[in-house]
Amino acid sequence: MIIFGTALLAVCHLLGIFLGDLLGQALGVKTNVGGVGIAMLLLIFARIYMQRHSMLPKLTELGVEYWGALYIPVVVAMAAQQDMVSALRGGPVALLSAIAAVAVCACVIAVINRTERPQAQTDGAPTLHDNPLLADAE
Amino acid sequence: MIDILEKAAVQNGLVTAFAVVGLVILLSGQISRRLTFGRVHGSAIAIVIGLALAYWGGTQTGGHKGLADMTLFGGIGLMGGAMLRDFAIVATAFEVQATEARKAGLIGVVSLLLGTVLPFVVGAGIAWSFGYSDAVSMTTIGAGAVTYIVGPVTGAAIGASPDVMALSIATGLVKAILVMVGTPIAARFLGLKTPRSAMVFGGLAGTVSGVSAGLAATDRKLVPYGALVATFHTGLGCLLGPSLLFFATKALVG
């Protein structure tokens, strides 16, 4: 049943958000700490566990993968509701600090990523996913 | 006729949003293929169109939610809101290879810390050079350079003035938009090729919206790895901003 996959995703999502809120409260911050990240980890573990016990038929997987494939459209909708007007109205302080922060981080990312040993080539390109819904997104 | 059509679209907001976004993606795919000969990723163009529509919506309504403030496109707010966005991000974790993610665990944490401290220092420094020399304003604007959620959360916690708060949110928004648009352009420079590099990127570039859109427009397969780290960004920033970073700033400028 395809709904089992979507329900699994929903349960992981809710549990992750709950744990993130709990973590935030424990740390004394008024916000969720990594709830989505925790939910992602839960889903990864759930997938590994269920695959090992062959509880994951293709149809159940599709219930999750459909939402993963909807990801880019959702991001486009997210872009369409950004507060562009106030972002552009922020003036030179906002503009400069944002540009400088992004530039500094970009340089650090470039430096860190250049230290990675290029072992991927010798191993051959790893298959990162087997989601047929993403075949055309590549 | 038009009235009935409009009523149908407004009453079925989310369905309208699916149709509108589908149309935008179809259009951007055509632009990508015909005008740039596939050099610019279709998703990147779709996101830029989305941002342009957000600007247009913002000027039309004077609201803060871009296109979603227009009644006809209210469904965009639901479709691209935090709930469905996080739901889709979590779903992408299904494609994560656990071994790849584990390999980059430590470097992910390091980049997460760097991604909080570096933008903060830069933002606070620039705020200082523009005359915002008190610790509260510097911290709030610096926190805004981390993400646009960390900014106001930090500002509210340490009692910043409304105009500094607005500046802080604007800083975070500009950053998110820069990351969204700039990532596919700078992908080669950033070395964005492997899951590990995406996790480093997720930690340092911050802002879930920026990272998720930037990676989506660069290479869809890398999204879950970047998002996995980036989702801890806001939490970490909200944790460090009003505490450690504020005290450090206060110690420096008095």
Side-chain angles (χ1 to χ4, degrees):
Chain A
M1 290 273 268
I2 200 160
I3 185 65
F4 291 155
T6 310
L8 170 72
L9 172 59
V11 169
C12 288
H13 182 170
L14 292 174
L15 204 59
I17 301 286
F18 169 70
L19 291 173
D21 277 334
L22 224 56
L23 188 60
Q25 209 164 43
L27 293 169
V29 267
K30 282 173 240 144
T31 176
N32 189 291
V33 177
V36 175
I38 298 170
M40 293 173 88
L41 292 174
L42 288 173
L43 189 66
I44 295 170
F45 292 134
R47 181 195 188 186
I48 292 172
Y49 178 85
M50 291 172 77
Q51 254 174 355
R52 227 169 255 164
H53 294 76
S54 45
M55 289 155 62
L56 207 60
K58 190 68 213 150
L59 211 53
T60 306
E61 282 189 3
L62 271 176
V64 184
E65 287 167 356
Y66 175 76
W67 286 99
L70 261 193
Y71 172 75
I72 289 178
V74 165
V75 162
V76 172
M78 176 190 78
Q81 52 165 319
Q82 298 294 315
D83 194 356
M84 283 294 279
V85 177
S86 13
L88 295 179
R89 211 188 280 142
V93 183
L95 208 61
L96 266 179
S97 13
I99 292 175
V102 169
V104 168
C105 286
C107 291
V108 177
I109 295 169
V111 168
I112 294 181
N113 282 346
R114 273 175 182 61
T115 64
E116 184 175 6
R117 273 161 288 146
Q119 55 180 187
Q121 273 99 354
T122 52
D123 294 356
T127 26
L128 295 177
H129 65 78
D130 52 1
N131 183 351
L133 295 167
L134 290 176
D136 62 330
E138 290 179 31
Chain B
M1 262 281 279
I2 295 289
D3 284 348
I4 299 174
L5 190 65
E6 200 181 313
K7 194 174 136 231
V10 170
Q11 282 182 344
N12 301 284
L14 185 59
V15 178
T16 310
F18 287 148
V20 170
V21 172
L23 204 66
V24 168
I25 290 178
L26 181 72
L27 195 71
S28 41
Q30 293 297 324
I31 294 175
S32 162
R33 221 164 299 142
R34 300 253 162 91
L35 294 182
T36 73
F37 301 101
R39 240 166 278 151
V40 182
H41 208 296
S43 330
I45 298 172
I47 288 163
V48 171
I49 294 178
L51 290 172
L53 287 172
Y55 181 78
W56 176 69
T59 49
Q60 292 289 309
T61 62
H64 292 287
K65 297 203 73 191
L67 199 60
D69 277 326
M70 304 176 83
T71 18
L72 187 56
F73 300 113
I76 297 271
L78 184 55
M79 182 176 172
M83 179 172 72
L84 281 184
R85 183 198 67 191
D86 292 347
F87 198 58
I89 290 180
V90 174
T92 62
F94 218 56
E95 300 142 26
V96 166
Q97 303 294 114
T99 45
E100 291 290 333
R102 212 178 304 139
K103 246 190 269 172
L106 184 66
I107 195 76
V109 175
V110 172
S111 44
L112 203 56
L113 280 170
L114 281 175
T116 307
V117 176
L118 287 179
F120 178 84
V121 171
V122 171
I126 286 177
W128 179 78
S129 66
F130 272 86
Y132 294 92
S133 54
D134 60 296
V136 170
S137 303
M138 279 175 68
T139 305
T140 306
I141 295 171
V146 181
T147 78
Y148 60 81
I149 297 171
V150 175
V153 168
T154 302
I158 60 179
S161 65
D163 59 311
V164 170
M165 295 270 264
L167 210 53
S168 158
I169 297 171
T171 304
L173 281 174
V174 175
K175 184 188 175 195
I177 292 161
L178 279 177
V179 175
M180 279 184 207
V181 180
T183 305
I185 300 169
R188 195 180 288 265
F189 168 71
L190 297 173
L192 272 180
K193 272 182 292 223
T194 58
R196 179 188 184 264
S197 65
M199 288 177 76
V200 170
F201 171 76
L204 267 154
T207 87
V208 180
S209 44
V211 166
S212 50
L215 282 178
T218 308
D219 185 348
R220 169 64 179 74
K221 287 183 302 247
L222 298 179
V223 166
Y225 299 97
L228 187 59
V229 179
T231 54
F232 286 92
H233 211 269
T234 296
L236 186 68
C238 292
L239 183 65
L240 294 181
S243 55
L244 198 68
L245 293 173
F246 176 55
F247 297 135
T249 314
K250 214 169 159 188
L252 270 178
V253 299

